[in-house]
């Protein structure tokens, strides 16, 4: 099968699984510019576009690629600058594959996250100020480690990467590593697979600054915590700067060893709150300005006033608005913004589904008790319901496989993948089963 028909099939697959409007906004017209053994490059209109796809549709895109290219590929994006020119965006921070050999030489920072474009307001002032001091004198302030926490979409990744970008701009020889906790764990697992776990931490020791994103991900991962604990102590002893982010105050973390939690708390902890209206407006205006976009002020205010949940969602609304306006050659107006908002709120509702809701709905459909489904019982009916729950949890939430497994009575990640594949292929082959799942899915989203 030729490359282009592989991609066409991917698009058909995606179209079948998304509301038409969402498909047209985000996927229609996206071209593949390059495919290698390991990577695929997609051409998108702007940076927002790729971030939106990555944050909302990554699983779906991976599924499509797996299916039609018969393997998983790292997805890269390039932006259309003019008809002839494209600029390649650095790889997104999340990849489901081991990093290339030379990753340690690179910082993995995304240069777009700077202090300059991090808008300051009451909600984030203190966090920004401490982040700036740390990046000016790494390892030399009392803020070591610096831990920044907030709920999702409020700027943790932006801020932690800004620390690295600033430090590198003032001292290019500085060895900085930005890494997500998920990536750290995957690297550790890879090292175990290769029987090299004893070398694992050595590879991380040779750095001047460690920026580690989303440490709540370490919950329940005991071996990874152990490795991280040693790295942490080693770097701190040498006076190296560590910055961490987390989705809650370390006191509220569960299933993380006490000694690690007390390390997290040994420097300074700062939080980022939800921004007020003026800050939200300022953020949108800055985004529009950075991208050279003209948006009427009233529309900016309308979006900022109506999307209060988080900044990522608000930016997403802006991108979507622009995409729809240019696609349909319409003016950017409040009325158009209102339509977009409705879609965004719907899409968001979809990604906000919790496993508990999924369990609840499926138990209702199957006439079962929730406690049976999460128990160890193995009767056939219960086992099937469990598989359907795992299937929808993977399909409709962004939770990791191991989190899904643990919510459903402590199953491991391979059980979740297995269940997903099983139900997925049954759904494709069996019309009645598909109808049944459609009903459940309608109820869920
Ligand atoms: P988190 O890591 O907390 O989930 P991110 O750092 O990914 O959140 O932020 C989500 C989006 O919002 C990013 O595009 C980021 O650039 C933007 N953002 C967050 N806070 C600000 C801010 N104060 N000024 C400008 N952009 C911001
Ligand atoms: Mg983040």
């Amino acid at each position: 099968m030729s490359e282009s028909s592989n991609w066409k099939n991917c698009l058909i697959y995606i179209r079948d699984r998304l509301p038409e409007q969402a498909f047209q906004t985000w996927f229609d017209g996206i071209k593949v510019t390059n495919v290698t053994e390991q990577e695929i490059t997609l051409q998108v209109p702007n940076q927002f576009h790729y971030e939106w796809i990555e944050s909302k549709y990554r699983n779906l895109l991976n599924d499509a690629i797996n299916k039609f290219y018969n393997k998983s590929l790292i997805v890269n994006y390039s932006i259309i600058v003019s008809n002839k020119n494209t600029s390649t965006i650095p790889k997104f921070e999340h990849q489901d594959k081991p990093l290339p050999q030379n990753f340690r030489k690179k910082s993995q920072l995304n240069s777009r996250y700077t202090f300059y474009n991090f808008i300051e307001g009451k909600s984030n002032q203190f966090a920004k100020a401490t982040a700036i001091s740390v990046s000016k004198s790494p390892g030399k302030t009392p803020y070591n480690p610096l831990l920044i926490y907030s709920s999702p979409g409020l700027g943790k990744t932006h801020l932690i990467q800004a620390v690295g970008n600033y430090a590198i701009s003032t001292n290019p020889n500085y060895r900085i590593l930005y890494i997500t906790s998920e990536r750290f764990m995957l690297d550790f697992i890879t090292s175990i697979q290769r029987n090299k776990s004893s070398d694992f931490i050595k590879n991380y020791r040779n750095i001047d600054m460690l920026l580690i994103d989303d440490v709540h991900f370490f919950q329940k991962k005991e071996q990874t915590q152990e490795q991280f604990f040693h790295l942490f102590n080693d770097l701190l002893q040498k006076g190296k700067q560590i910055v961490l982010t987390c989705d809650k105050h370390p006191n509220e973390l569960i299933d993380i060893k006490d000694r690690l939690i007390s390390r997290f708390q040994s420097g300074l902890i700062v939080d980022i709150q939800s921004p007020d209206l003026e800050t939200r407006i300022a953020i949108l205006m800055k985004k529009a300005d950075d991208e050279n976009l003209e948006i009427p002020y009233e529309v900016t205010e309308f979006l900022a006033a109506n999307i209060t949940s988080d900044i990522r969602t608000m930016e997403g609304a802006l991108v979507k608005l622009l995409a729809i306006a240019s696609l349909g050659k319409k003016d950017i107006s409040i009325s158009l913004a209102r339509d977009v908002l409705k879609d965004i709120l719907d899409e968001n509702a979809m990604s906000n589904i919790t496993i508990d809701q999924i369990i609840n709905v499926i138990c209702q459909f199957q006439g079962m008790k929730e406690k049976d489904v999460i128990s160890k019982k193995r009767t056939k009916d219960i086992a099937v319901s469990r598989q359907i729950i795992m299937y929808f949890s993977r399909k409709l939430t962004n939770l990791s496989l191991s989190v899904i497994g643990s919510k459903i009575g402590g199953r491991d990640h391979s059980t979740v993948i297995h269940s997903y594949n099983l139900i997925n292929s049954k759904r494709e082959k069996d019309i009645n089963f598909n109808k049944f799942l459609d009903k459940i899915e309608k109820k869920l989203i």
Side-chain angles (χ1 to χ4, degrees):
M1 217 186 274
S2 77
E3 288 307 336
S4 73
S5 65
N6 284 342
W7 179 243
K8 266 189 207 139
N9 284 330
C10 287
L11 288 178
I12 293 169
Y13 179 90
I14 292 169
R15 180 173 227 144
D16 280 350
R17 285 160 181 78
L18 281 187
E20 184 59 21
Q21 169 85 87
F23 175 82
Q24 281 185 12
T25 312
W26 303 115
F27 288 97
D28 209 14
I30 289 192
K31 293 197 179 68
V32 172
T33 56
N34 192 25
V35 185
T36 66
E37 270 303 298
Q38 282 148 11
E39 308 191 357
I40 181 167
T41 306
L42 305 179
Q43 194 178 52
V44 293
N46 54 41
Q47 175 116 12
F48 282 159
H49 205 108
Y50 102 89
E51 283 170 6
W52 189 257
I53 293 183
E54 274 292 327
S55 65
K56 291 276 174 184
Y57 302 122
R58 178 178 161 212
N59 287 343
L60 181 61
L61 185 60
N62 284 347
D63 287 349
I65 291 172
N66 267 330
K67 195 167 166 76
F68 295 105
Y69 288 83
N70 286 322
K71 59 189 163 203
S72 59
L73 294 171
I74 297 178
V75 182
N76 298 318
Y77 297 86
S78 71
I79 297 183
I80 309 164
V81 174
S82 74
N83 286 343
K84 290 190 194 119
N85 248 328
T86 59
S87 73
T88 304
I89 305 177
K91 279 177 200 123
F92 203 71
E93 73 218 38
H94 304 290
Q95 294 162 2
D96 280 338
K97 285 198 153 191
L99 286 168
Q101 284 298 321
N102 63 349
F103 86 96
R104 278 163 212 108
K105 293 192 197 118
K106 299 194 210 147
S107 62
Q108 300 291 316
L109 289 168
N110 180 337
S111 59
R112 116 183 158 83
Y113 294 120
T114 61
F115 289 128
Y116 171 73
N117 61 21
F118 188 84
I119 303 284
E120 194 175 315
K122 259 208 315 243
S123 55
N124 59 31
Q125 235 161 20
F126 188 50
K128 183 178 179 182
T130 48
I132 292 179
S133 347
V134 159
S135 60
K136 284 187 172 161
S137 350
K140 303 207 165 54
T141 66
Y143 318 143
N144 201 13
L146 172 63
L147 184 146
I148 304 168
Y149 77 96
S150 79
S151 45
L154 295 182
K156 295 183 294 296
T157 298
H158 189 138
L159 212 48
I160 195 175
Q161 293 220 21
V163 171
N165 281 319
Y166 185 92
I168 266 192
S169 72
T170 51
N171 185 351
N173 294 327
Y174 223 73
R175 287 162 305 176
I176 296 178
L177 179 65
Y178 165 82
I179 192 164
T180 61
S181 303
E182 183 179 11
R183 176 80 268 150
F184 183 85
M185 184 194 75
L186 290 174
D187 277 358
F188 175 51
I189 291 175
T190 310
S191 77
I192 297 176
Q193 284 166 346
R194 296 189 184 144
N195 281 328
K196 293 207 166 138
S197 59
S198 53
D199 291 347
F200 172 68
I201 285 303
K202 281 189 204 143
N203 297 328
Y204 282 93
R205 286 195 169 153
N206 238 349
I207 53 176
D208 296 313
M209 183 189 273
L210 176 66
L211 306 170
I212 182 143
D213 212 354
D214 296 330
V215 292
H216 50 268
F217 183 82
F218 287 152
Q219 288 175 119
K220 289 206 164 78
K221 324 278 179 354
E222 283 187 17
Q223 293 306 315
T224 310
Q225 287 176 32
E226 184 72 21
Q227 296 293 326
F228 187 67
F229 181 75
H230 292 304
L231 173 65
F232 195 99
N233 288 341
D234 191 60
L235 291 175
L236 226 48
Q237 245 167 30
K238 290 193 226 144
K240 309 296 187 192
Q241 180 70 47
I242 300 175
V243 186
L244 317 145
T245 72
C246 189
D247 70 354
K248 47 176 86 66
H249 190 285
N251 273 342
E252 289 169 33
L253 287 169
I254 40 170
D255 292 319
I256 290 209
K257 292 253 163 64
D258 287 347
R259 58 180 191 166
L260 196 52
I261 291 190
S262 83
R263 288 294 188 283
F264 288 170
Q265 298 184 314
S266 61
L268 181 73
I269 299 176
V270 293
D271 69 339
I272 304 178
Q273 300 282 336
S274 298
D276 52 29
L277 177 65
E278 288 83 344
T279 311
R280 295 202 299 277
I281 294 175
I283 290 172
L284 280 184
M285 286 171 72
K286 177 102 184 74
K287 291 280 164 199
D289 201 41
D290 288 349
E291 301 269 321
N292 280 327
L293 305 166
E294 298 231 350
I295 300 165
Y297 172 78
E298 51 176 14
V299 174
T300 314
E301 184 174 328
F302 175 81
L303 289 180
N306 284 286
I307 304 177
T308 53
S309 52
D310 68 283
I311 299 170
R312 187 177 294 123
T313 308
M314 191 175 71
E315 284 183 357
L318 180 70
V319 180
K320 188 156 183 170
L321 177 64
L322 297 169
I324 292 178
S326 69
L327 212 69
K329 306 217 175 341
K330 295 182 188 147
D331 286 339
I332 298 177
S333 63
I334 295 221
S335 130
L336 197 60
R338 209 183 292 279
D339 293 345
V340 169
L341 200 69
K342 195 182 155 300
D343 279 356
I344 292 270
L345 295 179
D346 288 351
E347 271 186 39
N348 236 25
M350 170 166 135
S351 63
N352 283 341
I353 296 176
T354 64
I355 293 197
D356 292 337
Q357 286 163 328
I358 294 175
I359 295 177
N360 180 280
V361 166
I362 285 156
C363 285
Q364 271 177 30
F365 266 86
Q366 302 277 68
M368 282 175 186
K369 292 202 183 102
E370 293 182 24
K371 74 171 194 312
D372 286 342
V373 169
I374 56 174
S375 71
K376 303 271 176 217
K377 282 191 194 162
R378 285 175 188 272
T379 63
K380 185 149 186 283
D381 284 356
I382 293 181
V384 171
S385 302
R386 216 175 263 149
Q387 284 162 351
I388 298 178
I389 292 171
M390 291 191 243
Y391 168 80
F392 279 119
S393 303
R394 172 141 197 243
K395 182 159 190 265
L396 301 177
T397 74
N398 292 324
L399 297 169
S400 69
L401 297 170
S402 50
V403 169
I404 296 174
S406 71
K407 279 272 195 178
I408 304 166
R411 266 83 192 170
D412 66 12
H413 76 283
S414 60
T415 311
V416 181
I417 296 185
H418 176 71
S419 306
Y420 177 85
N421 290 339
L422 211 74
I423 300 292
N424 199 29
S425 68
K426 185 155 184 229
R427 190 173 192 179
E428 278 166 9
K429 286 183 207 127
D430 180 340
I431 300 176
N432 287 329
F433 187 65
N434 184 37
K435 276 193 189 145
F436 174 63
L437 293 195
D438 276 349
K439 264 198 223 153
I440 297 183
E441 193 158 349
K442 276 218 182 84
K443 181 105 188 176
L444 285 169
I445 59 181

